[in-house]
Amino acid sequence: MSKYVISGGNKLYGSVKAQSAKNALLPLISACIMIEGEVTFTNSSMLGDVSIMLSIIKSLGGNYTYSNGNLKVDCTNLYSSEMPCDLTRKIRASVFMLGPLLARFKNVVTYLPGGCQIGSRPIDMHLDGFKALGVKEFNDGDALILKSKKLRGTKIKLKYASVGVTENLIMCAVLSEGETVLLNSAKEPEIVCLVKFLRLFGAKIKGEGTSTIVIEGVKKLKSKNITFMPISDRIEVGTYILSVLGTGGEIEVENANFLHNVALIKKIYNNACKIILTNDKIYIKCVGIGKSLSYTRTAPYPKFPTDLQTPLCAYATTLNGTSYVEESVFDNRFMQLKELERMGAKISVNGNVSKIEGVNELVGTAVTALDLRGGASLIIAGLKASGQTVIDNAQIIERGYLDIEKKLSLLGADIKKV
Ligand code: UD1
């Protein structure tokens, strides 16, 4: 168990570099299951979730090494498709391995995935998609067994534009026979990144980044060793932007593609800050306290990301006026707001809409991180609060942010991990 101890009030100045996106790296690691050869992912972070995914890869017979941001994954000799129960249950992203394992072995033994408790998070759409491709599902006690004699492409309309389902079905369809058409696909940049990667091995995919993705199955992906840099982490970038907006100061976020953060930038643009956007950097200078936000509703990309919802709420707690934030993606993603209230925030929740009335200041106290992004919102609040904030259960934040306390310290924050 670790804690972050923050003495709030320091303005942030300087430059910080974003890591490669956790949500890009996790499906990329899964995709390696279908590849014979060594893949090197550069600028990668050994985040908590990444390390669990890699342990699953190892337990199936694959291999990996990590040094200085270079993650090498080699699944050439992968021999098993029986996922280990304890590790599989630890992270939601273990479900991303089902598509590639089915593509390679035609059968998988797995268990329901875990992850942040931000809603019911079923996997019905993943399973329905696999079934449409010719997979049969059986239950054996806690285990879920997926089997197929032959994977056949077909037309699949997703009932919701789910990121993980789109990624899983693309990966499964890449080695299915014939054409698969995914309708109502998600459009997140992490999906585009995955498709670019798969294409390097001869996968035939069109339409990524739009709602219709067409995959022409191939017999086998090409065997080769390659080096690939995943896209930068737009949620980490957004977290730094919302941090400095709370504390005041002037920072530059490097390795940041502003095109992936348009919804956030539009929301904060001209709100007591000056923003300069260049190819791979976002510069932001604060000039006072902003006014309340326009109505925010989280929704699939390119709309406002659910992963920045609680960080945005933390930012709104000290704006001038009342902001409303609606969560439409997950059904239980407001629980962290109670902890913000303990720091003096004035928040009321009605169904899936939170009303945040700006207060003059937050006051540091002992709080608990309940999920990854909720934990990040407590850091944002702690950095601008008066006095000391102690965030318990901080390891949940490390699942998605590498060295966040070190990066913020370099910007001038008084934050320590104990
Ligand atoms: C991914 C991200 C996560 C982000 C989320 C939404 C990764 C590793 N994680 O998660 O950080 O918060 O997208 O942007 O990329 N759903 C079903 N049935 C299913 C699958 C999903 O009902 O079979 C529902 C979910 O409960 C949720 C909604 O669909 O309400 C969206 O979830 P989804 O896009 O699938 O999220 P993930 O891919 O799990």
Side-chain angles (χ1 to χ4, degrees):
M1 293 289 254
S2 52
K3 292 177 200 262
Y4 290 128
V5 180
I6 307 174
S7 291
N10 290 6
K11 291 187 174 184
L12 303 183
Y13 290 98
S15 189
V16 61
K17 186 175 171 193
Q19 67 199 14
S20 283
K22 164 182 94 73
N23 288 354
L25 196 52
L26 294 172
L28 287 170
I29 293 172
S30 305
C32 289
I33 288 174
M34 300 190 288
I35 289 161
E36 290 183 5
E38 184 184 79
V39 178
T40 306
F41 297 111
T42 57
N43 190 34
S44 298
S45 304
M46 190 50 86
L47 297 162
D49 280 14
V50 171
S51 137
I52 296 172
M53 284 290 270
L54 292 167
S55 301
I56 299 178
I57 292 276
K58 204 152 199 177
S59 78
L60 302 177
N63 224 330
Y64 73 90
T65 58
Y66 180 78
S67 120
N68 287 335
N70 288 325
L71 170 64
K72 291 182 192 290
V73 183
D74 191 340
C75 291
T76 310
N77 298 320
L78 205 88
Y79 56 80
S80 168
S81 58
E82 237 178 83
M83 297 175 72
C85 177
D86 51 338
L87 295 170
T88 303
R89 284 194 158 141
K90 270 191 184 155
I91 50 166
R92 171 80 184 171
S94 58
V95 78
F96 296 167
M97 292 180 158
L98 299 181
L101 283 170
L102 281 167
R104 180 159 176 169
F105 294 102
K106 308 279 178 294
N107 68 71
V108 184
V109 178
T110 190
Y111 301 85
L112 286 182
C116 281
Q117 298 310 310
I118 53 180
S120 50
R121 307 192 86 179
I123 64 162
D124 57 321
M125 286 166 63
H126 295 265
L127 298 177
D128 288 349
F130 295 141
K131 283 182 205 159
L133 292 172
V135 173
K136 291 206 164 18
E137 176 194 331
F138 308 90
N139 288 300
D140 181 7
D142 281 357
L144 179 65
I145 300 166
L146 303 175
K147 274 189 185 169
S148 165
K149 284 205 176 84
K150 188 175 245 179
L151 295 166
R152 268 212 189 91
T154 184
K155 195 182 261 192
I156 303 172
K157 183 167 183 189
L158 307 188
K159 66 177 182 191
Y160 186 88
S162 150
V163 182
V165 174
T166 304
E167 292 170 334
N168 230 341
L169 296 184
I170 289 174
M171 292 190 278
C172 195
V174 154
L175 295 182
S176 297
E177 198 177 286
E179 185 182 84
T180 301
V181 181
L182 299 180
L183 301 168
N184 195 29
S185 302
K187 303 173 189 159
E188 270 69 0
E190 291 76 14
I191 297 169
V192 176
C193 176
L194 173 67
V195 169
K196 277 190 182 153
F197 175 75
L198 290 169
R199 258 198 214 117
L200 295 173
F201 297 91
K204 293 189 179 155
I205 306 165
K206 283 189 213 148
E208 71 278 14
T210 76
S211 56
T212 304
I213 299 180
V214 182
I215 303 119
E216 184 61 46
V218 294
K219 283 220 160 63
K220 205 172 181 302
L221 291 178
K222 288 178 197 152
S223 312
K224 58 177 172 176
N225 300 340
I226 66 146
T227 297
F228 187 82
M229 183 157 108
I231 56 169
S232 77
D233 196 321
R234 61 196 165 99
I235 307 302
E236 189 197 17
V237 170
T239 302
Y240 293 125
I241 291 175
L242 293 167
S243 298
V244 71
L245 285 172
T247 59
E250 186 177 350
I251 66 164
E252 184 176 67
V253 189
E254 292 174 46
N255 188 32
N257 184 343
F258 72 86
L259 292 172
H260 295 167
N261 264 320
V262 170
L264 172 67
I265 291 165
K266 273 190 179 163
K267 180 120 323 244
I268 58 167
Y269 206 74
N270 275 339
N271 199 11
C273 63
K274 180 179 167 193
I275 297 178
I276 301 174
L277 307 170
T278 56
N279 236 357
D280 62 348
K281 283 184 192 150
I282 298 177
Y283 161 88
I284 176 156
K285 179 179 181 174
C286 303
V287 286
I289 294 171
K291 53 184 188 324
S292 55
L293 303 171
S294 59
Y295 190 89
T296 306
R297 181 174 188 270
T298 65
Y301 189 84
K303 303 231 168 92
F304 197 88
T306 173
D307 286 351
L308 283 178
Q309 179 260 112
T310 18
L312 186 81
C313 289
Y315 164 54
T317 55
T318 49
L319 292 175
N320 285 320
T322 302
S323 305
Y324 292 87
V325 178
E326 178 182 342
E327 173 57 52
S328 90
V329 180
F330 290 105
D331 51 25
N332 185 23
R333 213 168 195 182
F334 278 153
M335 71 262 191
Q336 197 68 73
L337 302 184
K338 281 267 163 255
E339 297 294 282
L340 289 175
E341 281 184 70
R342 298 184 55 241
M343 296 176 72
K346 208 166 164 207
I347 303 176
S348 52
V349 175
N350 185 1
N352 65 342
V353 178
S354 64
K355 176 182 175 191
I356 304 149
E357 293 171 70
V359 294
N360 287 338
E361 70 162 9
L362 298 181
V363 181
T365 185
V367 285
T368 303
L370 300 173
D371 70 274
L372 163 58
R373 308 300 173 185
S377 75
L378 296 179
I379 293 185
I380 292 171
L383 291 174
K384 63 180 169 177
S386 64
Q388 195 177 69
T389 300
V390 179
I391 304 175
D392 206 356
N393 203 28
Q395 68 284 350
I396 207 165
I397 302 173
E398 291 161 13
R399 286 179 52 183
Y401 296 88
L402 183 80
D403 293 338
I404 190 166
E405 78 288 2
K406 290 187 191 137
K407 288 182 171 184
L408 288 167
S409 296
L410 286 173
L411 294 176
D414 186 342
I415 172 169
K416 286 177 199 68
K417 189 163 99 177
V418 292

